[in-house]
Amino acid sequence: MAKLAKIRFGMIGGGEGAFIGAVHRHAAALDGQYELVCGAFSRDATNNQSTGDAMGIDDSRLYSSWQQLLQVEASLPADQRMEMLVIVTPNQLHVPISRAAITAGFHVFCEKPAGISLNETQALAADLTNTDRLYGLAHTYLGYPMVWQARQLVQSGELGTLRKIFVEYPQGWLTEDLEAASNKQASWRTDPSQAGNSGCMADIGTHAFGLAEFISQQQITEICAELKSHVSGRRLDDDGAALFRTNGGASGVLIASQICAGEENALKIRLYGDKGGLEWQQMEPNTIILRPHGAPVKVLRAGRGQPGLGIEALRRCRLPAGHPEGYLEAMANLYSDFAVAIRRGERGTPTGVPGIAAGLRGMAFIDTISSSGQSEAKWLQIPNTSQA
């Protein structure tokens, strides 16, 4: 077997003190398929330098801006320049950097949401139709093996016709006014100029929305929502809930909140059909509880070689049953699938990785739930983002 060269990648954002940048670097390194070769990690020169030093980046590949990174990397010989760019900046830079990177000839893996408006994300989608570059979106939870197993159970008819979906994502970290205390992570997420027109729903509501559509394989078409900011002076929503309807006839409830004191990252989904229901929780990610109608409850467990799992779940398991795999491994699964897609010469959206379609759906969700939260009319239709 021919030896595979590591895929060279660069990173914009993710300097010291930024949680998600380290997650991406650890996940990319997990399967030994990537090499971090360059970066523009922070606008703060000291932070940028110290992050580059810690990552072993040569000073000649440590850049002061994302524009400089793209310009210089594009000028390097093909066997030296980065092949893929990872974007872990605040939301307002996602689309501008993605579009510039694709134009410069680089694959892109971007943090969610795709941008700060549906219009700008549609412009990015148009760019992708005219390129052979790949674009992926870091919906980390869609990398969990048992999320794929839940999807397979729905697809196989194990639950019957879907009737009800409950999905929730409560956190408690914004219970206090952290932005007033100059907490960097809180400050940009509650700033409309950096986060867009939504706070909580853009940050974690999109995860709940994407998870519900991915597992159910139905699109949420209508929303009736209430959004609220509980902390005095906070400019964007920190809490919200919505009733929804799907194109498959199911009804549901979506809750996302960052002011649920004491909660951590309690993403949870329950789906019910006329033959049974299932439950999956992110904080216990290796387990699915299956509740057949009129029969005993079943518990399915993740693990390599575990009986009862489908092929997509099994290929995302690294360890035998009983050895927990978690958040980093889920993100690493997205990186692994992206690497396979690059080596196969795929274009557009990498197989197994959320791409521009997921990005458009997420932005349509944010726009619609924000409008519903501000409207007395309440039931609003989510725009159709299908690409011709």
Side-chain angles (χ1 to χ4, degrees), residues 66-118:
W66 64 265
Q67 295 93 336
Q68 183 191 33
L69 183 148
L70 292 177
Q71 180 181 10
V72 176
E73 287 295 315
S75 71
L76 295 176
D79 62 348
Q80 296 179 27
R81 72 173 74 112
M82 72 173 184
E83 300 165 82
M84 170 177 155
L85 180 65
V86 175
I87 303 171
V88 289
T89 66
N91 301 347
Q92 88 279 11
L93 293 174
H94 289 181
V95 167
I97 298 175
S98 293
R99 296 186 72 184
I102 289 163
T103 299
F106 301 113
H107 304 296
V108 169
F109 190 46
C110 184
E111 257 304 316
K112 41 59 53 194
I116 58 172
S117 75
L118 179 57

Side-chain angles (χ1 to χ4, degrees), residues 344-367:
R344 283 178 178 168
E346 294 182 14
R347 58 181 295 171
T349 298
T351 301
V353 180
I356 192 60
L360 290 168
R361 291 295 300 161
M363 293 313 307
F365 162 73
I366 292 168
D367 283 3

Side-chain angles (χ1 to χ4, degrees), residues 1-9 28 31-37 78-84 107 335-336 338-344:
M1 180 182 292
K3 181 178 180 180
L4 294 176
K6 291 188 177 183
I7 294 168
R8 300 179 300 278
F9 79 101
D31 295 316
Q33 299 188 69
Y34 292 90
E35 178 186 7
L36 179 63
V37 297
D79 62 348
Q80 296 179 27
R81 72 173 74 112
M82 72 173 184
E83 300 165 82
M84 170 177 155
H107 304 296
Y335 270 95
S336 180
F338 209 127
V340 170
I342 290 174
R343 289 172 175 141
R344 283 178 178 168

